[in-house]
Amino acid sequence: MAWTWFHRLASPPHIYRVAGRLTPWLAWPAAALIVAGLIGGLVLAPPDYQQGDGYRIIYVHAPSAWMSLLVYSTMAVAAAIGLIWRMKVAHAVAASCAPIGASFTFAALVTGSLWGAPMWGTYWQWDPRLTSELILLFLYFGYMGLRSAFDDVQRADRVSAVLAVVGVVNVPIIHYSVTWWNSLHQAPSVMRLGEPTMPPSMLVPLLMMLLGFTLFFGALLLVRVRGEVLSRERTASWIREALQP
Amino acid sequence: MSAFLDMGGYAAYVWPSYAVTLAVIALNIVWAQRLLKRSRKEALRRLTIGGTEA
């Protein structure tokens, strides 16, 4: 039957074991890429002709902002799968995403603010991009607050999943905000149709950071999902198997 | 070296940005490991109380 592999794949003991084995394969490349990206962005990339060295904030700002959207999208898809197919593992993934996404959204807002101060002359502006990103932070907080309001994990999973799915409308709004409205924020320079607007010496470190952050998210997710799966599990036999070396 | 640290006059904006982001990375590592450790401990506790065999 075509479904047997799927059920085995989604079974908690399998997820727990495979996630544990997979973690270093994502974590170490992530660390290597982030270190290389930091060196490339801070040292090797030339200064910008307009913004001088100030533009180097992009190497932490853009990957953080990318994470804020990638993590939310992952959370919403996992929550939807959990709601539709009543899959515990999917809910575990969604619950794992929230703190990661919230923290990187915070980083995106703070680094953006620090970039805006010298370039726009203000730390904050109620601009479409900035406002929608702040709403994203509140969505993450709302999701986590809602979860913590329930003692029963199953109920927390279902109720919070609805919020996660509804809130996903904010993701395209954030992405297209700079195109739809007049925004202080610059238009996309990497994720656009056609050629990126940067020379390779600037672009390569940025791509390394973007990939490094993405792999880092994968590694964090694996560690967190193991914890979330374990806390949802009541079957003694495999917990014993999983925990005893 | 001091030119590097000065970041063309943008040091007050560039370095805090990197500090915040790296702090978020470090915190995420700590939080994730703490979550897994706590879940393991709780699962062990449930085992000793006695769970349902399957």
Side-chain angles (χ1 to χ4, degrees), chain A residues 16 34 38 41-43 51-54 56-57 59-60 64 99-100 103-104 106-107 110-111 114 117-119 123 213 216 220 223-224 226-228 230-231 233-237 239-240 243-244, chain B residues 3-4 6-10 12-22 24-37 39-48 50-54:
Chain A
Y16 187 87
I34 290 171
L38 283 175
L42 282 172
V43 185
Q51 301 193 358
D53 288 316
R56 294 185 198 279
I57 293 174
Y59 297 107
V60 284
S64 299
I100 307 172
S103 57
F104 279 99
F106 172 78
V110 172
T111 55
L114 285 164
M119 302 306 167
Y123 283 101
F213 274 51
F216 179 58
L220 284 175
V223 176
R224 284 189 163 271
R226 294 182 84 201
E228 293 284 349
L230 208 51
S231 67
E233 203 44 59
R234 294 290 176 273
T235 313
S237 56
I239 294 179
R240 192 171 295 131
L243 294 182
Q244 259 114 56
Chain B
F4 173 67
D6 184 51
M7 274 292 147
Y10 292 107
Y13 306 102
V14 172
W15 295 119
S17 299
Y18 279 75
V20 166
T21 308
L22 294 179
V24 162
I25 289 177
L27 276 176
N28 267 294
I29 297 172
V30 173
W31 289 337
Q33 285 175 340
R34 194 183 292 168
L35 173 90
L36 180 56
K37 206 174 283 177
S39 304
R40 277 198 183 124
K41 208 176 280 176
E42 272 168 29
L44 269 179
R45 196 175 48 83
R46 281 204 305 274
L47 270 187
T48 52
T52 44
E53 287 292 340

Side-chain angles (χ1 to χ4, degrees), chain A residues 84-228:
Chain A
I84 297 167
W85 287 290
R86 297 181 163 269
M87 236 170 92
K88 270 194 210 172
V89 171
H91 283 304
V93 170
S96 302
C97 285
I100 307 172
S103 57
F104 279 99
T105 306
F106 172 78
L109 285 165
V110 172
T111 55
S113 179
L114 285 164
W115 197 359
M119 302 306 167
W120 302 338
T122 177
Y123 283 101
W124 187 259
Q125 188 76 255
W126 292 102
D127 161 281
R129 170 56 71 82
L130 279 61
T131 308
S132 52
E133 184 76 10
L134 184 65
I135 291 172
L136 184 70
L137 182 65
F138 293 152
L139 274 171
Y140 280 121
F141 285 160
Y143 177 91
M144 291 190 287
L146 196 56
R147 290 197 65 89
S148 63
F150 294 92
D151 285 328
D152 178 26
V153 184
Q154 251 81 278
R155 285 207 61 184
D157 279 345
R158 280 197 301 276
V159 176
S160 64
V162 175
L163 175 65
V165 170
V166 171
V168 83
V169 293
N170 193 31
V171 170
I173 292 179
I174 295 172
H175 183 74
Y176 290 108
S177 56
V178 288
T179 344
W180 290 344
W181 294 287
N182 269 321
S183 176
L184 265 180
H185 197 283
Q186 66 187 62
S189 43
V190 179
M191 278 191 260
R192 62 199 286 277
L193 292 172
E195 296 263 299
T197 56
M198 274 185 216
S201 54
M202 289 181 175
L203 183 63
V204 170
L206 184 56
L207 293 177
M208 287 175 126
M209 290 299 266
L210 288 167
L211 183 60
F213 274 51
T214 305
L215 293 177
F216 179 58
F217 167 46
L220 284 175
L221 201 55
L222 290 174
V223 176
R224 284 189 163 271
V225 162
R226 294 182 84 201
E228 293 284 349

Side-chain angles (χ1 to χ4, degrees), chain A residues 21-80:
Chain A
R21 226 177 284 156
L22 220 58
T23 308
W25 293 93
L26 294 184
W28 289 112
L33 280 166
I34 290 171
V35 169
L38 283 175
I39 296 168
L42 282 172
V43 185
L44 303 178
D48 183 64
Y49 78 102
Q50 273 184 327
Q51 301 193 358
D53 288 316
Y55 92 96
R56 294 185 198 279
I57 293 174
I58 200 173
Y59 297 107
V60 284
H61 175 69
S64 299
W66 157 246
M67 286 283 273
S68 72
L69 296 180
L70 171 71
V71 176
Y72 197 93
S73 308
T74 309
M75 182 170 97
V77 169

